[in-house]
Amino acid sequence: MKFKILMLVALKITCTHQIKSQNINTYPKGSIQKNADLMWSDRPKLTYEISTDRVTFFSNLEIRSLEYREWGISFWKAFPHDQRRFTWFEETVAISPRYFVDPKLAAQDRILESYQAKIDYSAKQKWELQYQKFRKEYMESPIVTSTKKWELKFAELSNSVMMGMYPDNQGRKHFNYVSFVRNLLKYAKYYYEEIPYKPYKTTPVLSDKITSTLYVPIEHPRFLNMTVDDQKNMLKMIIESEVDKRLKEFAAKKLSVISLKDIPLNLAGLTPDSNHIDLKDYLNKLVFVDIWSIGCSSCIAMMPKLKKVYEKYKTRGFTVLSVDVSGPKYYQQIMRIHHEIGADWPFMLLNNDQYNTLFSTYGMLGVPQTFLVGKDGKVIMYKDQVSSPEGLEEYLNKYFSDL
């Protein structure tokens, strides 16, 4: 998945795990309002951080979100009548730390998509007890709008899915997708029909609160112990519901992607020298389909690592198929990148119509889009474990060692 620019809490990192709460006694004596204003002005600021180092990025995200939470707990307790507490509460739920014992190791783990990082259960349980008290006051407050209260409930739903990837929720037989979908449909009805302002009114995209919650169950089902049938049934529940047609259309497209595990993927275009190329040409091989564009820096950054995996397994019945969707006018830039990387695997160019048809049919949003296609032309994995060269190599190593 394309490396996204996430919203972080920008403040000094004082340690890697033990976070000290800010104390009201650090401020000069004065009125309660003055001290509250001072502490609020010193709060962690929400800014954008751009980093090419994913380990640093994800570890900082965890550390800073922990620091922001601890700061807010102090503010809440120090100023029990300050309405700004609710703003902090909304933000800390939206940017929810996982309470990893070692944020750096957890970040490395996340990149490899193994999700086995250890969690500090003591700290996590302490927050959960505090959370219930904060939540009760928030939900009972007359100054908090019904829309804000709904958004909090939806954030809770989203977090429950995300936490399903981590050890404290692993080991169960299956993710309860039936209960999840029922809640999702309830919130979707309110979101599409009753909330007055929606930034994504035209078509569901992954930034949409509704569809973003489906991301893990659809694209990373193994972390929730979901089977392909579970995925299909989950999406069919949405399609057959009375919910807004935009969500039903989105679910139908995602179902078509999952169905590629049962039917061959059709993908054809032109080579850089204008010859026809078809995925069917590579039957009897494992094919890693990497769909990218010239404007995707993370796609290009992944290619040298992908080359190492390709070189390791290319004599064992594995190949890569690069599929560029930038359009013909970027041909020279595309080939320069391809040449500099030294990629000698097949290369496909899609024109705008082919690109639009592909992405519309399967509900794809952004690049990279990655598939691992089996020798029968059917998709083995879509994103999931093969969303990174490291995950791909891990799978191939096991695949070929089992032969």
Side-chain angles (χ1 to χ4, degrees), residues 34-242:
K34 182 178 180 180
N35 282 334
D37 291 343
L38 282 170
M39 189 171 181
W40 185 259
S41 66
D42 288 343
R43 75 189 185 282
K45 309 299 182 187
L46 296 180
T47 61
Y48 291 101
E49 177 179 286
I50 302 174
S51 172
T52 55
D53 181 351
R54 299 178 73 196
V55 172
T56 300
F57 181 87
F58 287 126
S59 62
N60 283 354
L61 176 61
E62 171 69 12
I63 292 168
R64 293 174 180 183
S65 58
L66 276 170
E67 290 178 325
Y68 187 58
R69 176 163 288 178
E70 292 302 316
W71 172 89
I73 292 171
S74 295
F75 187 86
W76 187 290
K77 293 179 178 179
F79 306 106
H81 303 295
D82 195 305
Q83 297 178 4
R84 290 173 293 189
R85 295 174 309 147
F86 295 147
T87 299
W88 160 78
F89 184 62
E90 294 161 358
E91 291 169 348
T92 195
V93 172
I95 309 173
S96 182
R98 307 303 177 192
Y99 289 96
F100 294 122
V101 172
D102 189 324
K104 185 173 182 179
L105 288 178
Q108 294 171 340
D109 190 46
R110 176 172 180 171
I111 291 169
L112 293 174
E113 299 192 351
S114 59
Y115 293 91
Q116 298 298 316
K118 293 182 179 179
I119 291 175
D120 184 340
Y121 293 108
S122 176
K124 185 172 181 290
Q125 289 170 359
K126 181 180 177 182
W127 161 250
E128 288 172 349
L129 290 174
Q130 292 175 316
Y131 177 77
Q132 292 306 319
K133 296 178 182 179
F134 296 159
R135 186 186 191 278
K136 185 175 186 296
E137 186 174 342
Y138 181 89
M139 298 302 288
E140 293 178 352
S141 173
I143 69 169
V144 179
T145 66
S146 59
T147 298
K148 289 289 186 181
K149 291 174 182 177
W150 175 87
E151 289 178 345
L152 179 75
K153 291 179 180 178
F154 200 86
E156 293 172 337
L157 177 68
S158 180
N159 284 339
S160 71
V161 176
M162 292 299 294
M163 286 307 296
M165 298 187 294
Y166 295 102
D168 55 337
N169 280 326
Q170 288 181 352
R172 61 193 170 196
K173 292 182 179 179
H174 287 290
F175 171 64
N176 189 345
Y177 66 85
V178 174
S179 176
F180 164 70
V181 170
R182 285 173 180 167
N183 284 328
L184 179 69
L185 294 176
K186 179 175 66 175
Y187 298 142
K189 178 178 174 59
Y190 182 69
Y191 178 75
Y192 286 116
E193 297 178 10
E194 298 181 36
I195 291 183
Y197 169 71
K198 294 184 289 292
Y200 303 100
K201 294 172 65 175
T202 306
T203 179
V205 296
L206 286 180
S207 299
D208 185 312
K209 290 180 181 296
I210 304 296
T211 53
S212 63
T213 308
L214 287 167
Y215 174 73
V216 175
I218 291 173
E219 299 192 357
H220 297 273
R222 66 191 180 92
F223 300 135
L224 301 177
N225 296 317
M226 293 181 72
T227 65
V228 173
D229 285 340
D230 290 338
Q231 288 182 290
K232 290 180 178 178
N233 290 335
M234 178 187 72
L235 292 171
K236 286 177 181 177
M237 283 182 66
I238 297 172
I239 294 169
E240 294 168 1
S241 72
E242 298 300 320

Side-chain angles (χ1 to χ4, degrees), residues 204-207 211 250 254 359 363-369 382-383:
V205 296
L206 286 180
S207 299
T211 53
F250 180 84
K254 289 305 178 184
F359 276 53
M364 296 180 187
L365 300 158
V367 288
Q369 298 287 333
Y382 167 56
K383 292 194 174 182

